[in-house]
Amino acid sequence: MKQAATIHRAMSTKGENAMSIFTTKEGVQLYYKDWGSGQPIVFCHGWPLSSDSWESQMIFFANQGYRCIAHDRRGHGRSSQPWDGNDMDHYADDLAQLLEHLDVKNAVLFGFSTGGGEVARYIGRHGTKRVAKAGLISAVPPLMVKTESNPGGLPISVFDGIRAGQIADRSQLYLDIPSGPFFGFNRPGAKVSQGLIQSWWMQGMMGGHKNTYDSIKAFSETDFRDDLKKFTVPTLIIHGDDDQIVPIDAAGRASAKLIPHAKLIVYPGAPHGLTDTHKDKVNADMLAFVRG
């Protein structure tokens, strides 16, 4: 029994080091990973996923001598599931508090999909004092939904459909999205990975039902155009031209026109989830940008 207790204490101690939790001023607990050492690279994940979705990039960059930080956004993954505050302003403020807590300086901020909106709103609200460079990967800015001032956006009915699907059968929706358009597995000749589909489903189902539901509005209806105009650091934009989730013309190409001196790299035929389907190229392009 004494030996078992000793093993338990050792495991608990290791767990405390491995499972890092930060509590915001509002009392929201954010789970985060902090791997490696060197210049910090911060990764913000997409909907309805978690920091796990960046693991191919994090292990690559940590092995290249960088400090890699990624958190589970409020309501997602292993973080708290607050009923309110599931919007871009709160996402950005949570990120700001985490970076202050970790004393992050001279960082490269990368945001994928919804995480790109989080990065944009962070810079819009908190500036670039801690930021050396930024990257928007398959990202939602400037504005996803179609409006009078954004005629190239997607109709609100698209997002109403996602909300209806989530209410009807969230688990099935979270299988249908990665099985089809997210990774381009619905395209002829696509090499389907059941592992990626299952990982996507698992990450999504870890998030709160209310939180991920509210986040649909956050990623689709938040206008980031003014935020993008405040980017004063070198910015990389990577987008696939067969992105069926966040169409490139309304997103990557439009953002490149608003951000001063942004570098846009278009991946021919690539889907939304290119951080997995094209991870070797993505990693190489991101590394060249960070080192450049």
Side-chain angles (χ1 to χ4, degrees):
M1 292 295 291
K2 288 183 178 180
Q3 184 180 12
T6 301
I7 293 173
H8 176 73
R9 283 195 298 272
M11 290 177 66
S12 297
T13 301
K14 289 182 179 179
E16 288 171 3
N17 292 333
M19 182 100 171
S20 301
I21 299 290
F22 166 69
T23 303
T24 71
K25 295 174 183 176
E26 290 185 335
V28 175
Q29 292 187 319
L30 299 178
Y31 166 86
Y32 67 94
K33 303 176 184 184
D34 191 348
W35 297 356
S37 60
Q39 182 183 8
I41 303 178
V42 180
F43 300 88
C44 297
H45 66 79
W47 173 93
L49 306 174
S50 72
S51 56
D52 293 353
S53 63
W54 276 113
E55 63 182 15
S56 293
Q57 285 67 48
M58 290 186 69
I59 194 167
F60 172 79
F61 275 98
N63 282 328
Q64 294 290 329
Y66 293 92
R67 179 187 181 190
C68 295
I69 299 166
H71 68 295
D72 292 356
R73 188 175 301 118
R74 65 163 60 201
H76 295 67
R78 290 138 292 202
S79 293
S80 295
Q81 299 182 6
W83 187 254
D84 297 313
N86 303 297
D87 55 68
M88 284 293 168
D89 286 354
H90 281 87
Y91 296 163
D93 292 351
D94 288 349
L95 176 60
Q97 291 181 57
L98 178 62
L99 297 188
E100 181 179 358
H101 169 70
L102 297 175
D103 194 26
V104 170
K105 299 174 182 176
N106 194 38
V108 181
L109 263 57
F110 283 118
F112 171 82
S113 196
T114 299
E118 185 177 347
V119 168
R121 184 50 51 94
Y122 170 85
I123 290 176
R125 286 172 71 85
H126 300 280
T128 56
K129 63 181 180 181
R130 296 184 181 275
V131 182
K133 296 180 180 180
L136 303 178
I137 316 299
S138 302
V140 299
L143 173 60
M144 281 200 73
V145 73
K146 182 178 181 179
T147 64
E148 287 187 9
S149 65
N150 188 49
L154 296 171
I156 189 69
S157 59
V158 172
F159 307 107
D160 288 341
I162 299 174
R163 278 185 279 262
Q166 171 139 340
I167 293 298
D169 190 340
R170 180 166 79 120
S171 185
Q172 186 61 51
L173 177 70
Y174 288 3
L175 284 174
D176 292 343
I177 291 174
S179 297
F182 192 92
F183 295 113
F185 291 159
N186 56 343
R187 294 306 198 207
K191 184 180 179 181
V192 177
S193 167
Q194 290 299 324
L196 281 180
I197 294 169
Q198 292 172 21
S199 175
W200 203 101
W201 175 87
M202 180 187 69
Q203 290 178 55
M205 292 305 293
M206 286 173 66
H209 196 354
K210 170 70 157 53
N211 308 95
T212 52
Y213 181 89
D214 288 355
S215 192
I216 298 167
K217 180 180 178 69
F219 75 66
S220 65
E221 297 182 43
T222 304
D223 190 339
F224 300 102
R225 287 175 286 191
D226 287 341
D227 300 303
L228 298 182
K229 294 173 184 176
K230 296 179 182 178
F231 278 46
T232 58
V233 295
T235 303
L236 173 68
I237 300 174
I238 294 177
H239 220 108
D241 68 5
D242 192 31
D243 191 326
Q244 300 171 69
I245 304 292
V246 182
I248 186 172
D249 286 337
R253 287 188 175 125
S255 290
K257 294 177 182 178
L258 292 173
I259 300 174
H261 312 299
K263 178 181 181 181
L264 171 63
I265 302 179
V266 177
Y267 286 23
H272 187 61
L274 46 68
T275 50
D276 284 304
T277 61
H278 293 63
K279 63 183 180 182
D280 291 340
K281 178 170 173 51
V282 169
N283 291 352
D285 286 340
M286 290 171 65
L287 180 62
F289 171 71
V290 170
R291 287 179 170 173

